[in-house]
Amino acid sequence: MNPVAAVLIGVLLAAAPATSPSPSPSRAPSPPPSASARPRPARTLLGLSADLPSGASEAERTRAASEARNSGVSVFAVTVSWSECEPVPGQFRLDPILRTIRLLRQSGAAVHLDVPIVSVTQRDVPKDLVKVPFDDSRLSLRLGRFLDALEPALKDASTLSLGYGADTYFSDKPVELKAFRLLFVGAVDFLRQKVPHLRVGITTAAPTESPAPAVAAALHQESPVLFYLYAPFERENPYVHRPPDALDRDWRLLLAGAAGRPIAFPEVSYSSASENGSTPARQADFVRRLRRFVASADGSALLFARYATWRDEPGTPAAGQVEAGRKPGPAVGAAVGSPPAASIPARRAAFFAHRGLQTSRGDPKPAWLEWRRNMD
C-alpha cells in the first residue's frame, strides 16, 4: 500500500464515529413525530486533498493525519488508473486499491472513485487499446471486465467518475466525443444493474469555467450525477480569479439548473497568488464561503465538495515571483485585486503552486485558519 493511502486510512480510522448505544429495553418508547415534523435533510459532505510528496517524513505524515482528522473531512477520493491496473490484457493489479477503499469505507467516510478513461489531454486505457475507438466493442467488453474486477470497490464507493476534465479532452474531438458518449451510456446501464446505489458521471469544469461548455453539456446529458471542477476564473483572462463571492452565485445557479440531478465538486480551489488576481485574504474569504455553502446545502442536491489542496506545491517560488522581465505590478489606476501583467503560463503555474491552504512548508495561510474556524 502506498504511503498516501496509509495516511488516509489512519486519518479515517481515527476519525470514525463511535457507535451510538442502543436504547434501553426498559425505556419508554418515544412519542411519534408530530404532523409538522420534517425529516432532516441529508448533509453535504466535505473533502480535502491532503496528499504529501512520497519523500515526506513520518512526522509530517503524522501531522497531516492529525490535522486532516480534525478538520471535518467526511469524503475521500481515490483515483484508479485503468492502464496501471491492467498492465497485461485480462490481468488485474487491484488488491492494494481494493484494500484501501474497503478500509476507507469501513471507517465511516464516503468514497468517491475516479476511473478517468480520459483525463484532460490523455486517454487512460490499457496500452493495447490506445488506438481503439471508444465505440469499438473490443474496448467496451474490456471495460466491462475491468469493472467486474473492480466490483468490490464499486460497492464500497458512493460515486464514480469515468472522466476527468473530459470537456477539455473532447473540445476538439467531435468524433471521439460521440463514440465516448455511447460507451458512457453503456457503462451507466451496466453499472445500474451491477451496483444500483452507485451514482455514475463524468467530471468536467463547471459551466462558468469550461473551455467548451457545449461539450461539457453533451457529456453530462446522460449522467445520473453532475461532477464539476470549480475554480472561478474570468472568462477573458485565463487563471485570473473572479471575486470569492462568485461561488455563492455560481453554485446556486448550478443547483437550480441541475433538473433534479445531484451535483458534486470533486475538486474546488482558489489561489492566494497575486498572479491570479488574488491575495491570502481573498483565498480565505473563498474558503469561508465554501464552508458556509456546504453547511447550509441539502446533501441530496449537493453531494459533496472537495477542496484541493491542503498544501502548496513544494519547491515553487513565492507568490508574485513569476518570470523575469514582466511588468512590476498592475498599472496605475487598476482596480484592487487586478493581477500583475504575467503571462498565461506564469498565471497557470502560480495557480497550481499556490492554491493550498498551507504553504509548502506547512505554515498555515489565512485560508487554513478559516477552514479550521468554520469546522462543523
Side-chain angles (χ1 to χ4, degrees):
M1 184 182 302
N2 67 50
V4 171
V7 168
L8 288 177
I9 292 167
V11 169
L12 283 164
L13 291 177
T19 303
S20 300
S22 301
S24 169
S26 61
R27 184 179 300 169
S30 300
S34 65
S36 61
R38 295 180 179 178
R40 185 176 180 180
R43 185 180 184 183
T44 296
L45 303 180
L46 186 71
L48 173 64
S49 173
D51 294 352
L52 292 178
S54 58
S57 68
E58 189 60 34
E60 289 175 313
R61 296 189 184 282
T62 299
R63 180 186 171 193
S66 177
E67 295 197 57
R69 179 180 64 231
N70 294 311
S71 71
V73 172
S74 50
V75 61
F76 285 83
V78 177
T79 299
V80 179
S81 168
W82 185 7
S83 61
E84 292 179 6
C85 290
E86 191 181 356
V88 177
Q91 296 183 17
F92 303 110
R93 296 177 179 175
L94 290 170
D95 286 348
I97 290 286
L98 298 180
R99 285 197 300 270
T100 297
I101 294 171
R102 172 53 55 89
L103 287 171
L104 293 174
R105 185 66 193 97
Q106 287 176 341
S107 75
V111 177
H112 171 67
L113 197 58
D114 189 15
V115 181
I117 299 173
V118 297
S119 181
V120 186
T121 61
Q122 299 177 337
R123 292 169 51 135
D124 185 3
V125 300
K127 59 185 179 181
D128 63 303
L129 298 176
V130 168
K131 301 294 185 181
V132 177
F134 287 119
D135 57 354
D136 190 304
S137 61
R138 290 173 293 172
L139 193 147
S140 59
L141 287 171
R142 287 277 294 282
L143 177 61
R145 292 179 189 133
F146 179 59
L147 294 174
D148 275 335
L150 201 59
E151 184 172 356
L154 300 177
K155 289 182 175 179
D156 283 329
S158 300
T159 50
L160 168 68
S161 173
L162 292 174
Y164 175 89
D167 50 332
T168 297
Y169 179 88
F170 291 112
S171 61
D172 59 352
K173 302 178 181 67
V175 175
E176 283 195 69
L177 172 61
K178 182 178 180 180
F180 183 83
R181 289 179 63 191
L182 292 172
L183 176 70
F184 176 73
V185 169
V188 169
D189 289 341
F190 177 77
L191 290 168
R192 187 177 288 122
Q193 310 264 341
K194 179 178 289 291
V195 195
H197 79 273
L198 188 68
R199 287 168 162 158
V200 185
I202 303 167
T203 304
T204 71
T208 50
E209 322 306 319
S210 176
V215 172
L219 287 164
H220 289 303
Q221 189 170 350
E222 305 293 338
S223 295
V225 59
L226 308 175
F227 295 127
Y228 293 129
L229 308 173
Y230 183 77
F233 295 127
E234 296 179 3
R235 176 70 65 180
E236 65 278 9
N237 290 311
Y239 297 102
V240 175
H241 279 306
R242 290 183 282 137
D245 62 4
L247 181 146
D248 302 278
R249 296 190 302 273
D250 291 346
W251 288 20
R252 282 196 298 266
L253 288 172
L254 287 172
L255 287 167
R261 290 180 292 176
I263 70 173
F265 294 94
E267 189 175 296
V268 180
S269 47
Y270 200 95
S271 171
S272 62
S274 60
E275 291 91 338
N276 306 118
S278 187
T279 65
R282 285 166 71 92
Q283 184 192 41
D285 186 20
F286 178 85
V287 167
R288 178 168 55 253
R289 293 174 183 278
L290 167 65
R291 296 288 312 239
R292 184 175 63 193
F293 199 105
V294 166
S296 63
D298 180 350
S300 63
L302 176 57
L303 301 180
F304 66 84
R306 176 175 172 264
Y307 190 85
T309 182
W310 184 50
R311 284 188 179 177
D312 287 343
E313 290 184 356
T316 55
Q321 297 179 357
V322 295
E323 78 275 10
R326 71 165 175 84
K327 296 178 182 179
V332 174
V336 175
S338 295
S343 67
I344 291 176
R347 296 200 299 261
R348 182 182 185 278
F351 168 69
F352 285 108
H354 298 288
R355 58 183 180 159
L357 302 177
Q358 298 183 1
T359 69
S360 59
R361 296 174 301 181
D363 299 322
K365 294 184 185 179
W368 177 247
L369 301 179
E370 196 62 54
W371 180 275
R372 295 279 301 171
R373 184 177 297 118
N374 284 278
M375 284 171 47
D376 292 336

